[in-house]
Protein backbone atom coordinates (compact mmCIF):
# COMPACT_ATOMS: atom_id res chain seq x y z
CA UNK A 1 0.00 0.00 0.00
CA UNK A 2 1.41 3.39 -0.89
CA UNK A 3 1.47 6.14 1.70
CA UNK A 4 -1.32 8.26 0.19
CA UNK A 5 -3.61 5.23 0.14
CA UNK A 6 -2.65 4.54 3.75
CA UNK A 7 -3.43 8.14 4.67
CA UNK A 8 -6.90 7.79 3.15
CA UNK A 9 -7.44 4.53 5.04
CA UNK A 10 -6.47 6.30 8.27
CA UNK A 11 -8.83 9.17 7.51
CA UNK A 12 -5.91 11.60 7.23
CA UNK A 13 -5.76 14.40 4.70
CA UNK A 14 -2.34 15.14 3.19
CA UNK A 15 -1.40 18.58 1.90
CA UNK A 16 1.77 20.15 0.58
CA UNK A 17 2.55 23.71 1.63
CA UNK A 18 5.69 25.79 1.96
CA UNK A 19 7.09 25.32 5.46
CA UNK A 20 9.94 27.34 6.83
CA UNK A 21 12.27 27.06 9.80
CA UNK A 22 13.72 23.68 8.84
CA UNK A 23 10.33 22.01 9.23
CA UNK A 24 9.84 19.11 6.81
CA UNK A 25 6.31 18.30 7.86
CA UNK A 26 3.95 17.83 10.75
CA UNK A 27 0.84 15.96 11.81
CA UNK A 28 -2.09 17.71 13.50
CA UNK A 29 -4.31 15.12 15.16
CA UNK A 30 -7.30 17.36 15.92
CA UNK A 31 -7.78 17.97 12.18
CA UNK A 32 -6.38 14.57 11.05
CA UNK A 33 -4.03 16.31 8.61
CA UNK A 34 -0.42 15.89 7.54
CA UNK A 35 1.35 18.88 6.04
CA UNK A 36 4.52 18.22 4.03
CA UNK A 37 6.87 20.94 2.80
CA UNK A 38 6.21 21.37 -0.91
CA UNK A 39 9.79 22.55 -1.52
CA UNK A 40 11.39 19.21 -0.74
CA UNK A 41 12.44 16.59 -3.26
CA UNK A 42 10.10 13.65 -3.85
CA UNK A 43 12.16 11.17 -1.82
CA UNK A 44 12.23 13.63 1.09
CA UNK A 45 8.46 14.08 0.88
CA UNK A 46 7.97 10.29 0.89
CA UNK A 47 10.17 9.87 3.97
CA UNK A 48 8.43 12.74 5.76
CA UNK A 49 4.97 11.44 4.90
CA UNK A 50 5.85 7.96 6.16
CA UNK A 51 7.10 9.48 9.42
CA UNK A 52 4.02 11.67 9.89
CA UNK A 53 1.68 8.76 9.17
CA UNK A 54 3.31 6.90 12.05
CA UNK A 55 2.22 9.80 14.26
CA UNK A 56 -1.28 9.58 12.75
CA UNK A 57 -1.57 5.84 13.48
CA UNK A 58 -1.02 6.56 17.18
CA UNK A 59 -2.90 9.88 17.31
CA UNK A 60 0.23 11.64 18.60
CA UNK A 61 -0.49 15.20 19.69
CA UNK A 62 2.99 16.72 19.79
CA UNK A 63 6.68 16.11 20.14
CA UNK A 64 7.34 18.06 23.34
CA UNK A 65 7.97 16.53 26.74
CA UNK A 66 8.65 12.90 27.60
CA UNK A 67 5.59 11.50 25.81
CA UNK A 68 6.38 13.57 22.72
CA UNK A 69 9.99 12.41 22.69
CA UNK A 70 8.87 8.78 22.85
CA UNK A 71 6.34 9.39 20.06
CA UNK A 72 9.05 10.99 17.92
CA UNK A 73 11.46 8.09 18.45
CA UNK A 74 8.69 5.62 17.61
CA UNK A 75 7.73 7.50 14.43
CA UNK A 76 11.35 7.72 13.27
CA UNK A 77 11.95 4.04 13.89
CA UNK A 78 8.72 2.93 12.22
CA UNK A 79 9.43 5.08 9.18
CA UNK A 80 12.93 3.64 8.85
CA UNK A 81 11.64 0.07 9.10
CA UNK A 82 8.98 0.71 6.48
CA UNK A 83 11.24 2.56 4.06
CA UNK A 84 14.30 0.29 4.18
CA UNK A 85 14.47 -3.31 3.07
CA UNK A 86 16.93 -5.28 5.22
CA UNK A 87 18.59 -7.03 2.27
CA UNK A 88 18.92 -3.82 0.27
CA UNK A 89 20.37 -2.07 3.30
CA UNK A 90 23.01 -4.79 3.81
CA UNK A 91 23.94 -4.62 0.14
CA UNK A 92 24.24 -0.82 0.21
CA UNK A 93 26.29 -0.95 3.40
CA UNK A 94 28.75 -3.35 1.78
CA UNK A 95 28.80 -1.48 -1.52
CA UNK A 96 29.44 1.94 0.03
CA UNK A 97 31.47 0.83 3.04
CA UNK A 98 28.88 2.24 5.46
CA UNK A 99 28.84 5.79 4.02
CA UNK A 100 25.45 7.13 5.16
CA UNK A 101 25.05 9.65 2.36
CA UNK A 102 25.84 7.20 -0.45
CA UNK A 103 23.62 4.57 1.15
CA UNK A 104 20.76 7.05 1.42
CA UNK A 105 21.16 7.92 -2.27
CA UNK A 106 21.16 4.23 -3.20
CA UNK A 107 18.09 3.44 -1.09
CA UNK A 108 16.22 6.64 -2.06
CA UNK A 109 15.80 7.79 1.55
CA UNK A 110 17.21 10.58 3.69
CA UNK A 111 20.40 10.25 5.71
CA UNK A 112 18.21 10.61 8.82
CA UNK A 113 16.29 7.48 7.82
CA UNK A 114 19.60 5.61 7.41
CA UNK A 115 20.68 6.75 10.89
CA UNK A 116 17.33 5.75 12.39
CA UNK A 117 17.60 2.32 10.78
CA UNK A 118 21.11 1.95 12.21
CA UNK A 119 19.71 2.82 15.63
CA UNK A 120 17.18 0.02 15.26
CA UNK A 121 19.92 -2.42 14.23
CA UNK A 122 21.98 -1.41 17.26
CA UNK A 123 19.09 -1.57 19.74
CA UNK A 124 17.17 -4.62 18.56
CA UNK A 125 17.26 -7.69 20.78
CA UNK A 126 19.95 -10.13 19.78
CA UNK A 127 19.32 -13.87 19.79
CA UNK A 128 20.66 -15.68 22.80
CA UNK A 129 21.76 -19.25 23.28
CA UNK A 130 23.79 -21.55 21.09
CA UNK A 131 23.85 -21.01 17.36
CA UNK A 132 22.17 -23.81 15.37
CA UNK A 133 24.42 -26.13 13.40
CA UNK A 134 24.20 -25.75 9.67
CA UNK A 135 25.59 -28.49 7.47
Amino acid sequence: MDFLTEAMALGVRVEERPLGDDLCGFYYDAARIVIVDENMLDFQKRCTLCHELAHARFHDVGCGGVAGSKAERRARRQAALRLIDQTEYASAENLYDGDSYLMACELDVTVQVIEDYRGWLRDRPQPTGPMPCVS
Side-chain angles (χ1 to χ4, degrees):
M1 174 183 320
D2 71 27
F3 297 124
L4 289 176
T5 303
E6 179 182 348
M8 288 176 39
L10 289 169
V12 173
R13 190 171 78 246
V14 177
E15 293 183 11
E16 292 185 25
R17 297 183 190 164
L19 298 175
D21 303 314
D22 298 325
L23 187 62
C24 298
F26 64 90
Y27 169 67
Y28 181 53
D29 191 56
R32 299 292 287 163
I33 188 169
V34 168
I35 306 292
V36 176
D37 187 349
E38 68 183 13
N39 297 311
M40 293 188 300
L41 299 172
D42 286 343
F43 79 95
Q44 294 169 313
K45 290 177 185 178
R46 184 174 45 81
C47 292
T48 299
L49 179 56
C50 183
H51 172 96
E52 298 306 335
L53 288 176
H55 286 304
R57 278 192 298 281
F58 291 95
H59 298 274
D60 294 336
V61 293
C63 54
V66 173
S69 293
K70 287 180 181 180
E72 190 61 20
R73 279 192 307 275
R74 180 184 60 217
R76 287 173 58 171
R77 184 154 291 180
Q78 285 194 356
L81 292 173
R82 291 194 65 198
L83 290 163
I84 294 180
D85 175 83
Q86 188 173 4
T87 303
E88 291 175 1
Y89 176 88
S91 176
E93 189 166 53
N94 287 332
L95 183 63
Y96 297 109
D97 206 24
D99 184 292
S100 298
Y101 175 78
L102 294 175
M103 291 172 64
C105 292
E106 176 74 18
L107 299 175
D108 203 28
V109 296
T110 63
V111 171
Q112 182 64 61
V113 169
I114 294 292
E115 295 305 322
D116 293 338
Y117 190 82
R118 284 184 173 156
W120 172 77
L121 287 173
R122 186 177 48 252
D123 297 344
R124 69 183 173 168
Q126 298 299 314
T128 58
M131 295 295 290
C133 294
V134 179
S135 341

